[in-house]
Amino acid sequence: MLGMLFNEKECKELDYVLRKELDEMLLDLSDQRLDHEIRHAIANRYKTVFRMYARFAPSKELSKYARKG
């Protein structure tokens, strides 16, 4: 486990970066033109980034990015 300390500005930036990354991955996951292996890799990465975001995001914000299954 690795710990990090961020100031308020850095926390806001990390929040922004993670949300944008989640948005992009959701867009990619909805693209039916991508083959199954690519979509599976994106889904695995999404889980990791989502767990990172879940550590500090309010539940109302977090629910926007929750996926089924």
Side-chain angles (χ1 to χ4, degrees):
M1 175 156 272
L2 178 66
M4 299 178 79
L5 293 174
F6 295 108
N7 64 33
E8 186 68 27
K9 184 177 179 182
E10 292 166 337
C11 285
K12 287 179 183 181
E13 185 65 27
L14 181 60
D15 176 73
Y16 174 80
V17 169
L18 292 176
R19 282 188 292 113
K20 292 305 164 192
E21 191 64 26
L22 290 169
D23 287 336
E24 287 294 320
M25 286 188 280
L26 283 175
L27 185 63
D28 289 342
L29 288 169
S30 68
D31 188 349
Q32 298 301 318
R33 297 173 296 172
L34 297 176
D35 72 13
H36 177 71
E37 286 125 18
I38 301 286
R39 289 167 45 96
H40 182 70
I42 293 169
N44 285 338
R45 185 164 184 262
Y46 187 91
K47 289 176 189 174
T48 301
V49 175
F50 180 81
R51 284 193 306 261
M52 290 170 62
Y53 185 60
R55 292 178 187 250
F56 60 86
S59 58
K60 184 177 180 181
E61 285 294 314
L62 195 58
S63 65
K64 295 178 184 178
Y65 295 103
R67 294 185 66 217
K68 298 176 193 171

